[in-house]
Amino acid sequence: MYIEQVEDELYQLKKAGQPIGSFRLIQLSRGAGKLEQLQVKDHISPGRILEVFEVIQTYVEKVGLRELHVESHSDTLDFLLQHQQFKKMDVEKRLWIYEVNHS
């Protein structure tokens, strides 16, 4: 699975050359990005969603962002974000932040 930039803030998730999903990566200040409108095809299993987040997190690190922000909309996503080392920063907005560990 890999990421291909389609437009300024629009990206496609691809596997074997075929699109399997898309998302927007909005540039914020201070080297942060915000993940929005993540969509994957219906046939993607819940386990593959973890892989999707790992690919996005690796991409964010590669392009030099310091943080990735995600606003959660469900308890299931909260659990997944926590599993992927995101930290809940704003309970009311359900804002989670992944801090990139640049080695």
Side-chain angles (χ1 to χ4, degrees), residues 33-49:
K34 183 176 181 186
L35 179 65
E36 293 185 348
Q37 300 172 1
L38 175 62
Q39 299 175 343
V40 291
K41 295 204 173 179
D42 292 340
H43 68 274
I44 302 293
S45 70
R48 301 297 280 197
I49 297 297

Side-chain angles (χ1 to χ4, degrees), residues 4-56:
E4 189 174 282
Q5 189 169 2
V6 181
E7 293 174 13
D8 189 33
E9 297 177 333
L10 181 63
Y11 297 81
Q12 275 191 340
L13 292 158
K14 290 190 168 185
K15 184 162 182 123
Q18 298 299 311
I20 59 166
S22 64
F23 64 92
R24 292 198 170 276
L25 184 59
I26 312 300
Q27 292 287 333
L28 303 174
S29 61
R30 302 179 321 275
K34 183 176 181 186
L35 179 65
E36 293 185 348
Q37 300 172 1
L38 175 62
Q39 299 175 343
V40 291
K41 295 204 173 179
D42 292 340
H43 68 274
I44 302 293
S45 70
R48 301 297 280 197
I49 297 297
L50 288 174
E51 184 181 354
V52 165
F53 269 92
E54 288 171 7
V55 168
I56 292 171

